[in-house]
Amino acid sequence: MIEQSLVLASEVPFPPSVEDFYLPSIVPWGAHDSYWFTKITALMWVSVAAIIIFFLVTYRKPQLVPTKKQWLAESIYGFVRNNIAVDMLGKRGINFAPYLTTLFVFILLMNFWAIVPFAQISPNSHIAFPAILAVISYVMFIYIGMKHHGGLKYFKHALIPPAPWFILPLLIPIEFFSTFLVRPFSLAVRLFANMFAGHMLLLVFTLGGFAMLNANIWFAPFSLVSWAMTIALTFLEFLVICLQAYVFTVLTASYVQGALADEH
Amino acid sequence: MTGQEPPRNPSGDDDPPPPDTGMGMTAVAYLISGMLVWGAIGWLVDHYVGTKGIFAGIGAVVGIAGGVYLIVRRLGA
């Protein structure tokens, strides 16, 4: 066991770097310098396929007394619809429940690859994925706001707070910055940074165990502690995965709520 | 749960939104944006006038004040 670990350890690079997030191509042809199909891409397609197949299968023959699978699908949808969409958007929330559920399930599954054995990296740890999701939310809440308030009136509503005129020059730049610049950025970066840091943390503790073992055989107990930490951190990761999927969905709903809100 | 009716009393537009639904994030965003925007404007003024950061400091403080005001107006009762 220890000899095996040592053989492994000599190949383990430490400390881990950003390079560890750029996985090699997994198509058998033209693998050199080709990044069109990596594990990240594969996991994304698997997630999409899994979600589509799961919901199609569970809703194909809906029964009054639900089967286990149907119950699970309905619980997920019901959770997002009742606890996020309707809670925050009122009656109109039902219109947004399908999108919010899709968003929630997609982010949850994409994040979840971070702790699935042999996958062990989340596509969301590349900023491209959270960025596109954030752009969708951004365009959506602006579009909805413009539709609800009527074109440019939305921007007047969003940018001009109820305040005396002489403070407005002070407030409008702040409103513009926080609503139209910070929102998409923070949405994308929050999800990306959480998944990136999670993966990095697990790498540090896993590889660190090997590195210590490699440095000196008497460090073996510390390696064990390091690997025990990896297991504990995996549970923490699970928490972060669920929380970030929830936070992204709730914030998207909250932005839509802001776009739909009337003067108060 | 889809079989269930949606909650009887969904918070309409008149009710205050339920606690902790993105309001914390909005508040933090206002504070930080206030500081950054007016700090940056102050920094530019510094750059043109040739002072060493006095306007950036004033801008940051004024920006935070603006952020707090916005939080009170937009999120307060």
Side-chain angles (χ1 to χ4, degrees), chain B residues 15-76:
Chain B
D15 302 340
D20 200 35
T21 41
M23 276 173 74
M25 289 297 176
T26 316
V28 172
Y30 274 142
L31 277 182
I32 294 179
S33 335
M35 193 166 63
L36 285 183
V37 170
W38 286 102
I41 291 173
W43 183 82
L44 285 178
V45 171
D46 268 339
H47 201 71
Y48 284 116
V49 176
T51 42
K52 288 188 180 160
I54 179 71
F55 284 106
I58 293 173
V61 173
V62 169
I64 288 186
V68 170
Y69 184 79
L70 268 177
I71 291 171
V72 172
R73 287 318 295 258
R74 289 271 196 193
L75 305 179

Side-chain angles (χ1 to χ4, degrees), chain A residues 104-177:
Chain A
F104 177 73
V105 174
F106 181 65
I107 296 176
L108 188 67
L109 196 57
M110 291 271 275
N111 283 356
F112 197 70
W113 292 117
I115 58 170
V116 172
F118 301 108
Q120 281 171 331
I121 183 167
S122 166
N124 282 340
S125 59
H126 285 257
I127 198 162
F129 295 93
I132 290 295
L133 293 174
V135 165
I136 294 173
S137 293
Y138 182 65
V139 171
M140 191 178 73
F141 88 75
I142 292 178
Y143 173 74
I144 287 165
M146 288 177 75
K147 218 172 111 186
H148 184 73
H149 293 277
L152 293 176
K153 271 195 192 140
Y154 166 61
F155 292 99
K156 189 171 161 255
H157 168 76
L159 288 179
I160 302 181
W165 61 270
F166 53 88
I167 327 183
L168 284 181
L170 176 72
L171 300 183
I172 288 172
I174 302 179
E175 282 278 13
F176 176 76
F177 192 73

Side-chain angles (χ1 to χ4, degrees), chain A residues 71-84:
Chain A
W71 173 80
L72 187 65
E74 288 185 355
S75 302
I76 296 171
Y77 177 68
F79 166 70
V80 178
R81 188 190 66 181
N82 293 351
N83 291 17
I84 299 177

Side-chain angles (χ1 to χ4, degrees), chain A residues 251-263:
Chain A
L251 283 177
T252 300
S254 137
Y255 296 161
V256 172
Q257 181 194 38
L260 286 176
D262 297 311
E263 298 291 345

